[in-house]
Amino acid sequence: RVRSMTWRMDKEDDITFLHCAMVDPANDFGILETFEVRSSVCPNVKGLENVTHGARPLPNLRSMTVNRFYAPFIMPNLTQISLFHLPIPLCSILNRLEDSPSLTRLKLSECRFSSIAPDDFRVSFPCLDLLVIDRCELSNGESVYELFEARATFPETTRLNICSRGYPEDDDDL
């Protein structure tokens, strides 16, 4: 049984295999406390077509850092999460994180989310101490920052770290 997992991957087949393994109900990750995936590629969409993507319980998970990887997990004891380069709907992530009432740190970095939340979408983070939004955008041009301001609630003491500078590949000065 594994308490901590750290993966570094640069092959599409490897990250697809990991995704399938993590969402497979036959694999027990119930005691997992930390989970980190650093990948230079996303999973193969075709390789995930026949995979059941129901939310897997990870009751002991406290810390998660993922790059180009996302699977729906139920993480009631999660305290910190860092998400990098996630091409999925923002509301899908936030809905899942709302089920983590102990969340104190949320970092979204260089994410280009594929859609905006519905008009009635609201999310609450009652224990959030730090929110980092670093160079994130929505595919329709809407502002991620305004979305958080209008639809997310968190304590007045939450520290915000917002970086809105464009992506390095879009910057002519580099």
Side-chain angles (χ1 to χ4, degrees):
R1 301 190 80 166
V2 179
R3 288 189 187 273
S4 179
M5 293 176 79
T6 301
W7 298 89
R8 307 249 188 280
M9 300 181 170
D10 61 1
K11 294 183 181 171
E12 188 177 77
D13 289 344
D14 293 341
I15 194 69
T16 303
F17 176 82
L18 177 63
H19 183 97
C20 292
M22 290 303 298
V23 299
D24 185 346
N27 296 325
D28 182 11
F29 297 106
I31 66 168
L32 189 64
E33 294 176 2
T34 62
F35 180 61
E36 179 179 352
V37 176
R38 301 284 181 169
S39 179
S40 60
V41 294
C42 293
N44 181 319
V45 176
K46 287 237 182 247
L48 301 177
E49 285 179 350
N50 296 322
V51 176
T52 302
H53 284 90
R56 291 284 313 277
L58 296 176
N60 291 311
L61 193 69
R62 305 273 188 274
S63 174
M64 183 162 96
T65 300
V66 292
N67 185 355
R68 292 182 175 89
F69 180 91
Y70 181 78
F73 299 121
I74 300 168
M75 307 167 288
N77 292 306
L78 187 72
T79 59
Q80 59 184 22
I81 188 166
S82 297
L83 306 169
F84 301 86
H85 300 281
L86 297 180
I88 64 171
L90 179 59
C91 59
S92 297
I93 294 168
L94 297 180
N95 270 340
R96 185 59 51 209
L97 292 179
E98 192 172 34
D99 295 333
S100 301
S102 301
L103 188 66
T104 59
R105 294 175 179 260
L106 170 59
K107 180 177 184 177
L108 303 168
S109 185
E110 297 183 53
C111 296
R112 291 184 178 180
F113 296 108
S114 59
S115 69
I116 193 163
D119 288 339
D120 62 347
F121 178 77
R122 299 287 182 271
V123 64
S124 176
F125 299 106
C127 295
L128 198 64
D129 180 52
L130 176 63
L131 172 62
V132 177
I133 303 174
D134 180 18
R135 296 171 286 166
C136 294
E137 63 183 41
L138 296 166
S139 60
N140 63 359
E142 297 277 340
S143 169
V144 173
Y145 319 105
E146 289 175 9
L147 176 75
F148 268 89
E149 183 179 56
R151 308 218 183 149
T153 58
F154 35 82
E156 290 179 8
T157 57
T158 300
R159 293 174 293 142
L160 302 176
N161 184 346
I162 298 174
C163 177
S164 60
R165 185 170 172 252
Y167 289 91
E169 66 268 17
D170 296 338
D171 193 343
D172 293 335
D173 297 332
L174 294 179

